[in-house]
Amino acid sequence: MSEESARLARALIEFREAEGISERELARRTWLSEATIRTFEGDRGDLSTPIVARSFEEVLGWAPGSIKTTPSEALGREPSADSAMELE
């Protein structure tokens, strides 16, 4: 349990309470599963993937990149040829 994951868990719960919405509704708004919402609200998630982080940042109104993510190398993924071309 890191300080970063605890901060995200608190923010998600506070957001849901302020909006008066369920985990299901938050999942719908973020295009994530209810299980993912429960995992991160319960502060049981490791660093999120970039896709999960961006979804949370959008719904919370946080700046892009404000949630620390798991590097793609740690996930055993190679950059695609398309993404390499975009960098050129």
Side-chain angles (χ1 to χ4, degrees):
M1 174 183 336
S2 71
E3 185 177 319
E4 180 75 17
S5 63
R7 177 180 77 105
L8 179 58
R10 282 190 308 274
L12 291 170
I13 292 167
E14 289 171 5
F15 175 81
R16 275 196 322 100
E17 290 174 349
E19 293 285 313
I21 62 172
S22 64
E23 289 174 342
R24 175 177 278 176
E25 176 60 17
L26 181 57
R28 188 191 68 73
R29 290 185 187 188
T30 58
W31 294 85
L32 300 170
S33 71
E34 286 181 64
T36 298
I37 301 301
R38 281 191 297 275
T39 296
F40 283 92
E41 282 192 356
D43 193 16
R44 294 182 307 273
D46 292 326
L47 294 177
S48 60
T49 63
I51 291 170
V52 170
R54 297 304 84 81
S55 294
F56 287 149
E57 288 166 350
E58 286 179 18
V59 79
L60 293 170
W62 292 4
S66 62
I67 297 174
K68 193 173 182 180
T69 61
T70 302
S72 58
E73 298 83 31
L75 299 174
R77 296 188 183 149
E78 293 292 325
S80 69
D82 291 335
S83 65
M85 289 174 56
E86 290 173 8
L87 296 174
E88 294 178 355

